[in-house]
Amino acid sequence: EDLTLRGINLLDTPTRFTSLSDFAEGSRLAEILQELGVRIILPMKDSEHLLGFLALTSKAAGYRYTAEDFNLLGVLSNQMVGALTNARLYAVSLENARLQEEVNMARQIQLDLLPSSPPQLAVAHISALSTPSRTVGGDYYDFIEIDNDHRVGMVIGDASGKGLPAALLIAQIQAMMRSEINNGNPIPKMMANVNTQVALTTSSEKYVTLFYGELDTTTCEFKYANAGHNYPVLVRADGTVELLQAGGPIIGAFPRMEYSAATVKLDPDDLLFLFTDGLSEAMDTNNCEYTEERIRRWLVDHRNDDSDAIMKGILDDVYRFDPTTPPQDDTTVVAVKMKGGPLLRE
């Protein structure tokens, strides 16, 4: 920074240029101002920054600058600072409006990527909801029909971070998952392929926890793999709890990882509940988390409700625990309630 400019930054009122002599040594700016015959310096400063300055030479008529001149110059300087500040704020507001429009458009695109409604199945009722902590979020869920409704794929994921970077990663993951499912790959290979693609095309701090399962609507078998995601909760009709843990590491941390799959039978009146950590890690005013254990207890107590009531009920319970709106973290839930009745029990 030029020494003379630093001296001008210390000024608060119009000042004679000669007062800056202590800041002139080695200053190219001082040399230029001297060559131009500058006599008066008017600093233009807002509350934080030097916006610029005006340099005045001698009066055309040859008269000296009076005290009244300095007062007038001070008023003019303040008016120019106000005009510059207003222009800058207006430019910032236009840019913010443009950015907000782009974010809103990104939100609409993200909403369009989510299923418009859960699939209607003969063997189960499904309810799902995703609430971002910002305009766009890093959570997602998806349902994919396979084999002409014979099987239904279910995905839930949570990208690291929040906002647009997380949303972009989720859009990438969703496209990869649908491609792998359409290619008919086995679940372990599908997860391994997605993991390698993400690990090789993104930085190491970008990763996704992901759970994928396929419900066979004929046999009610549910085959799944869990890639570092919160364990989905399977509550049996008698209140027994099972956690769906089989799978492998998070998606995107390391390439060429191996994944396993497991199969569970979903019986009549069983409840399968998938969620992201925005639900379990909701915090009250004492910085206490809602916890996965509390989720499991709540599900056991309300396992006889339908899927809509379960989804809405637990979200209401979490809201009473942490009424932050929007939530502190992206929150997604998927509730799958198996239907009862003699046909499914045979």
Side-chain angles (χ1 to χ4, degrees):
E1 183 183 18
D2 188 277
L3 187 60
T4 295
L5 189 61
R6 187 182 304 174
I8 294 174
N9 190 34
L10 298 175
L11 303 178
D12 292 318
T13 58
T15 305
R16 297 188 185 277
F17 179 56
T18 53
S19 299
L20 296 172
S21 57
D22 292 341
F23 297 92
E25 184 176 354
S27 169
R28 177 57 183 156
L29 178 60
E31 294 178 4
I32 294 173
L33 295 177
Q34 288 172 352
E35 292 172 1
L36 294 174
V38 170
R39 296 291 180 267
I40 305 296
I41 297 293
L42 276 75
M44 293 188 295
K45 301 170 63 176
D46 60 14
S47 59
E48 299 179 359
H49 307 289
L50 176 68
L51 306 179
F53 67 92
L54 293 181
L56 305 180
T57 60
S58 300
K59 290 184 177 181
Y63 297 109
R64 293 173 58 85
Y65 285 97
T66 65
E68 289 77 9
D69 293 331
F70 277 90
N71 289 335
L72 177 60
L73 291 173
V75 172
L76 292 175
S77 176
N78 290 333
Q79 290 178 342
M80 286 185 285
V81 167
L84 287 172
T85 300
N86 290 338
R88 180 163 54 91
L89 292 175
Y90 180 68
V92 169
S93 68
L94 289 179
E95 179 64 13
N96 287 341
R98 183 186 67 81
L99 291 175
Q100 186 59 48
E101 182 179 356
E102 292 182 357
V103 170
N104 290 338
M105 186 178 299
R107 174 58 179 162
Q108 187 56 52
I109 292 173
Q110 189 173 52
L111 288 174
D112 292 341
L113 292 176
L114 294 175
S116 57
S117 62
Q120 302 297 311
L121 305 180
V123 297
H125 290 295
I126 303 177
S127 301
L129 183 67
S130 183
T131 305
S133 64
R134 300 181 183 177
T135 305
V136 292
D139 281 7
Y140 101 105
Y141 67 92
D142 202 1
F143 303 107
I144 303 96
E145 295 181 357
I146 311 170
D147 301 337
N148 296 322
D149 297 338
H150 173 58
R151 287 182 296 154
V152 177
M154 303 180 190
V155 193
I156 188 169
D158 183 2
S160 58
K162 297 182 181 69
L164 281 174
L168 290 172
L169 181 55
I170 282 297
Q172 181 184 8
I173 292 290
Q174 184 182 37
M176 291 180 184
M177 287 297 296
R178 282 187 165 263
S179 176
E180 291 292 329
I181 294 168
N182 291 333
N183 289 339
N185 288 323
I187 292 178
K189 182 174 177 58
M190 179 193 309
M191 303 294 273
N193 288 346
V194 172
N195 171 70
T196 297
Q197 291 183 64
V198 175
L200 295 178
T201 57
T202 61
S203 55
S204 58
E205 69 272 11
K206 301 289 182 60
Y207 60 87
V208 177
T209 66
L210 191 71
F211 178 89
Y212 174 71
E214 293 177 357
L215 175 63
D216 188 315
T217 58
T218 302
T219 65
C220 292
E221 289 184 337
F222 187 74
K223 189 173 185 178
Y224 72 90
N226 190 335
H229 195 73
N230 302 82
Y231 298 146
V233 182
L234 174 56
V235 182
R236 299 294 186 179
D238 63 0
T240 304
V241 174
E242 300 176 24
L243 303 180
L244 306 191
Q245 305 180 35
I250 58 178
I251 298 292
F254 306 100
R256 290 175 283 277
M257 300 298 293
E258 295 185 357
Y259 293 81
S260 62
T263 302
V264 293
K265 179 71 178 301
L266 300 185
D267 295 322
D269 298 318
D270 283 352
L271 166 65
L272 176 62
F273 188 77
L274 288 64
F275 62 98
T276 58
D277 61 10
L279 192 73
S280 58
E281 295 179 2
M283 286 192 177
D284 65 10
T285 54
N286 296 318
N287 292 326
C288 295
E289 292 187 356
Y290 190 79
T291 74
E292 295 189 11
E293 181 182 355
R294 182 165 175 171
I295 291 174
R296 294 194 286 269
R297 289 200 307 267
W298 194 96
L299 293 174
V300 169
D301 291 341
H302 297 83
R303 66 186 184 277
N304 294 322
D305 295 344
D306 62 35
S307 60
D308 279 346
I310 290 168
M311 179 186 71
K312 295 175 182 176
I314 196 165
L315 290 175
D316 287 344
D317 193 58
V318 171
Y319 180 77
R320 287 190 291 270
F321 182 82
D322 174 15
T324 307
T325 304
Q328 299 180 51
D329 193 9
D330 305 326
T331 302
T332 300
V333 298
V334 177
V336 181
K337 181 65 184 294
M338 301 301 292
K339 296 179 182 178
L343 291 178
L344 291 181
R345 297 180 187 277
E346 294 178 357

